[in-house]
Amino acid sequence: MPQEVRRSAWAETLLSFVQRYPGVHLREIRRRLGIPLGTLDYHLYRFGKEGLVTLTETAGYTCAYPAVVPDIGGPIPDPDRHLLALLRQPVPRSILLHLYLDGAGPPSDLASDIGTTAQNLSYFLQRLERAGVVLREGSGATRRVRLADPKQVHALLLQFPPLPDDPVDRFLRFWGDLHP
Amino acid sequence: MDLGELTNAAFGGIAVFGALLAAVAIAAWRRTPTVRMALVALAFLLFAAQGVVVGVGLFTSGLSLSDLLALSAGFEAALLAVMFAATLLR
């Protein structure tokens, strides 16, 4: 296949992926699309110059967003960008979905419910708290974690679909669910 | 298709699907490096190895049927032990 044709195919795939899944970070794009690093950099640079895609450093990751979302009629607002980027990462997404579906709860229950360690949960809760997405209330035995703005999470979940599970994700979830 | 060809196809299937699932399990283990996932990957590798070793042994080596049956049972016992550990141990 000529290189130009291959490049334009990548460009189309990449642009539609970013438009469908705004807030996805670059490593995830590479993993999902199998796109070579140089090709990814080239197209993102080009999309940036053409005003199609913007890159933002969010929660320690470089995340890609479409410059304009048709439903919004402009760019995604900054607070939503931050939350979207967190919803694209497995552990923060599990925490946010659990708090959204089940409401506030003690951190110890949260760790076992989402299948992670207390240390891992604590690390991500600190990040989510710094981002202003979750709030920790009380102390000791009455300590609870809750979403700062459940309506914002609800709106973003409805507007932007989650990244589809790949076979490895499904495999991991299946064996994770067998935990006695 | 006679019984020999069916047996050949069955062991071929065990080897191929065992190898495919082992590949997915290894990818899963690389993404989440836990003991559980390592055991699951090992179990599927044992499936694949059983398919290859017993399948090849059945048609090319001078092993008797009872030797191959013992070999196959050994593989199955080992992979059941690994599966037991992967699913039930904390």
Side-chain angles (χ1 to χ4, degrees):
Chain A
M1 190 188 288
Q3 198 163 3
E4 275 310 308
V5 175
R6 206 164 52 226
R7 275 192 171 166
S8 67
W10 275 128
E12 203 174 303
T13 306
L14 177 60
L15 189 57
S16 63
F17 189 79
V18 172
Q19 284 168 339
R20 185 159 173 76
Y21 306 110
V24 65
H25 59 83
L26 302 196
R27 202 168 53 184
E28 191 67 19
I29 295 175
R30 280 191 62 199
R31 192 169 74 81
R32 297 275 178 162
L33 300 181
I35 186 169
L37 182 60
T39 311
L40 178 66
D41 284 346
Y42 166 78
H43 285 301
L44 287 176
Y45 172 74
R46 221 189 71 193
F47 291 156
K49 277 186 75 174
E50 291 171 6
L52 295 170
V53 168
T54 56
L55 297 178
T56 308
E57 193 75 20
T58 314
Y61 291 93
T62 305
C63 303
Y65 302 86
V68 175
V69 175
D71 291 352
I72 301 174
I76 299 168
D78 278 346
D80 287 351
R81 282 181 180 226
H82 210 108
L83 184 51
L84 258 180
L86 292 165
L87 282 168
R88 299 287 181 223
Q89 297 169 35
V91 178
R93 181 176 59 236
S94 299
I95 295 171
L96 294 171
L97 283 178
H98 191 275
L99 292 176
Y100 171 68
L101 293 170
D102 290 10
S108 52
D109 288 357
L110 192 56
S112 59
D113 287 345
I114 68 165
T116 192
T117 60
Q119 292 87 344
N120 209 24
L121 178 76
S122 172
Y123 169 76
F124 282 107
L125 277 180
Q126 276 176 20
R127 282 179 53 183
L128 292 169
E129 208 176 9
R130 272 203 305 272
V133 180
V134 303
L135 299 171
R136 276 195 262 203
E137 297 166 334
S139 61
T142 62
R143 205 161 67 148
R144 292 166 71 80
V145 185
R146 71 172 176 87
L147 287 178
D149 185 358
K151 282 183 185 165
Q152 187 194 15
V153 174
H154 177 83
L156 287 179
L157 287 173
L158 279 183
Q159 192 170 8
F160 300 105
L163 282 162
D165 279 352
D166 64 13
V168 176
D169 287 329
R170 288 199 295 275
F171 190 90
L172 272 169
R173 201 174 48 240
F174 173 79
W175 287 99
D177 286 348
L178 288 179
H179 203 286
Chain B
M1 192 181 274
D2 65 16
L3 191 61
E5 286 171 335
L6 269 176
T7 313
N8 203 1
F11 280 110
I14 290 171
V16 170
F17 287 112
L20 281 174
L21 283 162
V24 175
I26 289 166
W29 172 74
R30 288 181 63 184
R31 204 173 289 179
T32 308
T34 59
V35 174
R36 177 188 304 276
M37 210 37 69
L39 289 170
V40 172
L42 177 62
F44 285 119
L45 280 172
L46 280 169
F47 262 121
Q50 183 197 20
V52 172
V53 172
V54 180
V56 168
L58 201 57
F59 291 97
T60 62
S61 78
L63 289 173
S64 69
L65 211 54
S66 58
D67 288 341
L68 283 169
L69 201 60
L71 195 60
S72 185
F75 270 111
E76 278 165 24
L79 74 86
L80 278 174
V82 175
M83 280 290 193
F84 173 85
T87 51
L88 294 178
L89 297 186
R90 278 182 181 274

